[in-house]
Amino acid sequence: MIGVTHYVALSFLLFAIGVTGVLIRRNLLTVLMSIELILNAANLNLIAFSRQLGDLNGQLFAVFVITLAAGEAAIGLAIIISMYRLKGSVNLDDASELKG
Amino acid sequence: MPFPAGDTLLILPELFLTAAASFVLLWATFVSRPRERGLAFFSIGALAATGLLLFVSARMAGTLPRSAFGGMFAMDRFGLYFKGILLLVGIVTILFSLRFISVSPYPGGEYYGLILFSTVGMLFMASGTHLASIVVALELMALSQYVLAGYFKRETKSLEASAKYFVLGAFSSGVLIYGISLVYGAAGTLSLAGIATAFTTAKPPAFLVIGIIFVGCGMFFKIASAPFHVWAPDVYEGAPTPISAFFAVGPKLAAYAIFARIFFVGFGPRAGDWSAIIAASAALTMVVGNVGALMQTNVKRLLGYSSIGHAGYALLGLLAYGDASGIGLWSILVYLLAYAFMNLGAFGLVILLESKGYAGESVDDFNGLAAKNPWLAAAMLVFLLSLAGIPPTAGFVGKYFLFSAAMKAGWFWLSLLAVLMSAVSLFYYFRIARAMYLVEGEGTLHWREEPAVSAAIALCAAGTLAMGILPGPFVQFARTCLLPFGP
C-alpha cells in the first residue's frame, strides 16, 4: 500500500536532486530545470497532503505553483537568451564581472 | 463561492494600480522616446492616487482589521503602514529614474510599468494572510524585478546581475514553496490563522520543523541575510542604480512584512523552534554585512553590504516576539521607515553623481563634494550618520528601539554584537564622509542639473532628520500598527 509517506519521500528526493543541481551545475538551462524540479517536488507534497487531509486548498495551491513556474521559466529563458546574445555562453561561470 | 462586494472595495487600491500599470505598458508602445516623461509622471500620479484610494478604502472598510476573500487578504493597520511606505518608495524610485532612463539607450515605458507591477506585488504581500496569496504576490514582485535588474540588457553587468538575481531568487522561492508544502502537511491548512490554531491545539509531526526551517531560509534569501546574502552586493552593483535603490528598500520591506506575518501570526505558537535560527542568522548577517563593507571601493556595492548589515539589525526585532508590549514588532516598523529614508537618500546621491549611464560610482567620486555643493554633501552626511546610527537621525532611533527590544527579550550578547558592529560600520561610512569634506575634487555640481533627484533626496533627508529629532509621533504611530499575536 502506497501511503503519503512514500510521496513525501519521493518529493524529498526530487527536492534534493533539484538543490544539488542548482548548487553544482553551472549551465543556466540546467539550473532552470533544477529549479523546476524543486517546484514540482513541492507540488507533489501539496497534492499528496491534500489527498490525505481531504482538503482542496493544497491542490489549488499546486495549480498556482504551476502557473508561477511557467512565469519563472518565461523570464528565465528570456534572461538566458539575452545572455547568450551578449556573451555567446549560458554558463554562470562566464558571468563573473561582479565580484568582491 | 461568491464573494461579497465589500471584499472588492478592500483591494480597490491594488486593482487601480494594476490597471494603471497595464495602461502604462500599453501606452509605452505608442509613445516616442522624447515623450516618455509623460509615462513617468503618469506613474507617479498613479502611485499617489493609489495612496489616496488606500486611505479612502480603509475609511470605508470601517473597523479594522477586516478580512476578505476567504482569509486570503486582510486590511489592517500593519499592512497599511507598509503600503504607505512602499508607495513612497515607488514614487522616489521613479523620480530617481527620470533622467537616468532618458539619457540611457533603453526605452522607459516597460521600465515604469514593471516598477508599478512590482509595487502591486509588494502591496499584496503586505496584506497577504494566506500562504497562497503571499506566494503569488511575492512572485509578482520578484518576476518584475528580475527583468528590471537586467533592464540595461546590453550592459554585461546589468545582465549578469539579472541572471544571478533570477537564479537565486527562483531557487529561494522554490525552497520557500517546498517549506510551505511541508507546513501544509503538518497544519492541514494554508491560512496563517488556521496554522496558528492547528499548532496550539495539536502536537504537530516532526517534519514541521523542517518546513519552518525551509520557509525561514526562503525568507532569509528575500531579506538578504546570511548565509543567503551573496546575491545582494552583486545585484546592487550590476543593476541600474535607481533599480538598486528600489531593490535595497522596496522588496526588503515587503519581505519583512510577510516574514513578520508568517512567523508572528502563523508560526507564533512554535516560536521555540525558530528563535535560535533567527538569532544565529542575525549574528552572522551583522558580521558578514559590516565586515564585508569594510573592503569595498564601489559605493553601490558598499551600500549593498551595509544593507545586509541592516537586515541583520532588523532581525533582532523578530526575536522579541514574546514581549507583551509588542516592542519587537513596532521597533521593526520604526526601523524600516528609517531604513527606507536613509537608504533611498544615499542611493540618490550615487545616482546624482553618476555622470552618464554606468560611469563613476566609486568612493572617489565623492571627493570634494562639500566644495562642489555643500547642500548635497550635508544631505549625504545626514544619510551616513543615520546609516551608522548616530543621533540626531532616524537610524539612531530605529537602532535604539531594536537593540532594546533584543535586550528585553534576553538576547544580551546579540545586542552587544549589534552595537559592536555599528561601531565597525562607522569606518566605512566615514570613508565617504572623509572623501566629501577632506579630499579635493574637480568640477562643479549644481542641483538644477537633476531637479527630480534633488527633490527626492531632500524628501529623504527631511524624513531622516524629522524622525531623528522628533521620534515621538513616529513611534506612537507605529505602535498602533501591530499584528494580532498568534493564539
Side-chain angles (χ1 to χ4, degrees):
Chain A
M1 170 73 191
I2 294 184
V4 74
T5 332
H6 296 89
Y7 286 106
V8 175
L10 173 65
S11 115
F12 187 76
L13 202 67
L14 280 176
F15 177 74
I17 296 171
V19 171
T20 321
V22 173
L23 295 181
I24 66 171
R25 288 308 189 100
R26 301 284 80 191
N27 186 311
L28 265 174
L29 278 169
T30 323
V31 170
L32 188 60
M33 286 192 271
S34 307
I35 290 169
E36 298 288 315
L37 217 51
I38 296 176
L39 290 173
N40 284 325
N43 281 346
L44 197 61
N45 256 351
L46 285 167
I47 290 164
F49 284 131
S50 164
R51 176 95 179 139
Q52 183 205 22
L53 296 160
D55 173 63
L56 277 178
N57 270 306
Q59 294 184 34
L60 195 83
F61 188 43
V63 174
F64 278 125
V65 173
I66 293 169
T67 320
L68 296 177
E72 244 165 34
I75 303 267
L77 289 172
I79 292 172
I80 292 172
I81 289 172
S82 352
M83 199 160 152
Y84 184 77
R85 277 193 190 138
L86 201 64
K87 296 187 168 225
S89 144
V90 292
N91 200 313
L92 269 178
D93 287 335
D94 291 336
S96 52
E97 236 173 78
L98 305 166
K99 254 192 200 139
Chain B
M1 178 166 64
F3 293 110
D7 284 9
T8 316
L9 181 74
L10 295 185
I11 60 161
L12 203 60
E14 284 87 353
L15 288 180
F16 171 76
L17 194 56
T18 315
S22 315
F23 181 69
V24 168
L25 215 53
L26 277 177
W27 186 9
T29 54
F30 300 109
V31 81
S32 61
R33 286 238 48 197
R35 293 174 168 232
E36 274 171 8
R37 287 179 90 81
L39 284 170
F41 290 120
F42 177 81
S43 305
I44 293 176
L47 287 167
T50 311
L52 202 66
L53 270 177
L54 211 57
F55 186 73
V56 172
S57 82
R59 268 292 158 86
M60 288 175 73
T63 45
L64 298 179
R66 273 200 49 194
S67 185
F69 298 104
M72 287 270 176
F73 181 96
M75 177 172 267
D76 52 11
R77 292 184 62 99
F78 174 81
L80 290 173
Y81 183 89
F82 274 99
K83 287 178 189 183
I85 305 179
L86 289 170
L87 289 172
L88 198 68
V89 172
I91 291 174
V92 169
T93 309
I94 294 177
L95 285 176
F96 282 169
S97 312
L98 271 170
R99 209 174 92 93
F100 198 87
I101 286 296
S102 68
V103 299
S104 82
Y106 304 94
E110 296 93 332
Y111 178 92
Y112 298 119
L114 284 166
I115 290 182
L116 294 189
F117 273 121
S118 161
T119 307
V120 173
M122 296 195 287
L123 296 187
F124 272 118
M125 277 164 84
S127 269
T129 50
H130 190 279
L131 288 173
S133 60
I134 288 176
V135 166
V136 174
L138 181 76
E139 287 297 297
L140 175 56
M141 173 195 85
L143 290 178
S144 320
Q145 284 171 351
Y146 302 145
V147 184
L148 282 173
Y151 200 76
F152 285 12
K153 61 180 179 184
R154 285 186 290 280
E155 310 267 355
T156 8
K157 273 175 146 189
S158 176
L159 200 60
E160 192 179 318
S162 171
K164 285 186 175 168
Y165 195 27
F166 170 75
V167 167
L168 291 173
F171 175 59
S172 69
S173 299
V175 173
L176 176 72
I177 293 173
Y178 188 78
I180 288 175
S181 75
L182 291 176
V183 170
Y184 172 67
T189 170
L190 284 166
S191 100
L192 293 178
I195 290 173
T197 326
F199 291 166
T200 11
T201 49
K203 191 180 166 356
F207 62 78
L208 170 68
V209 181
I210 306 176
I212 291 182
I213 290 174
F214 281 158
V215 172
C217 290
M219 291 283 96
F220 288 149
F221 257 113
K222 299 292 174 199
I223 61 166
S225 67
F228 307 107
H229 62 281
V230 277
W231 60 269
D234 285 357
V235 172
Y236 294 176
E237 186 190 343
T241 315
I243 292 304
S244 309
F246 188 51
F247 284 177
V249 182
K252 219 171 243 206
L253 256 65
Y256 258 107
I258 59 173
F259 202 159
R261 231 191 250 276
I262 294 177
F263 278 72
F264 275 47
V265 178
F267 301 164
R270 306 287 301 173
D273 289 339
W274 51 258
S275 54
I277 305 167
I278 289 193
S281 172
L284 200 60
T285 308
M286 289 187 288
V287 173
V288 167
N290 286 308
V291 173
L294 283 176
M295 275 97 68
Q296 302 307 324
T297 50
N298 180 313
V299 180
K300 278 164 83 179
R301 214 174 163 77
L302 187 147
L303 287 173
Y305 272 105
S306 106
S307 85
I308 295 174
H310 286 282
Y313 302 137
L315 279 176
L316 294 180
L318 287 178
L319 289 170
Y321 56 87
D323 201 275
S325 66
I327 185 171
L329 200 55
W330 65 253
S331 63
I332 296 182
L333 294 181
V334 171
Y335 188 69
L336 288 179
L337 180 60
Y339 175 82
F341 281 135
M342 62 200 186
N343 239 25
L344 282 176
F347 270 107
L349 260 296
V350 180
I351 294 163
L352 205 61
L353 289 181
E354 282 188 343
S355 41
K356 237 183 209 173
Y358 265 68
E361 50 201 37
S362 79
V363 176
D364 296 339
D365 291 343
F366 281 86
N367 284 352
L369 184 63
K372 290 183 210 165
N373 190 326
W375 288 103
L376 287 174
M380 188 63 181
L381 190 65
V382 168
F383 300 134
L384 291 173
L385 287 173
S386 181
L387 286 162
I390 293 171
T393 54
F396 169 74
V397 176
K399 272 187 186 164
Y400 173 79
F401 288 118
L402 271 177
F403 296 176
S404 48
M407 292 279 259
K408 261 181 112 176
W411 295 94
F412 292 104
W413 65 273
L414 260 183
S415 321
L416 203 65
L417 184 70
V419 174
L420 203 68
M421 283 301 137
S422 298
V424 169
S425 73
L426 281 176
F427 285 102
Y428 57 86
Y429 291 132
F430 274 74
R431 234 178 42 225
I432 302 177
R434 184 180 157 274
M436 290 194 305
Y437 283 94
L438 299 177
V439 185
E440 300 233 337
E442 297 162 359
T444 56
L445 185 72
H446 201 275
W447 66 268
R448 240 182 263 136
E449 290 165 30
E450 297 266 7
V453 181
S454 302
I457 290 174
L459 177 77
C460 295
T464 312
L465 280 176
M467 266 189 90
I469 295 165
L470 284 172
F474 292 94
V475 173
Q476 280 308 324
F477 186 69
R479 290 178 84 148
T480 62
C481 298
L482 299 184
L483 280 171
F485 186 49

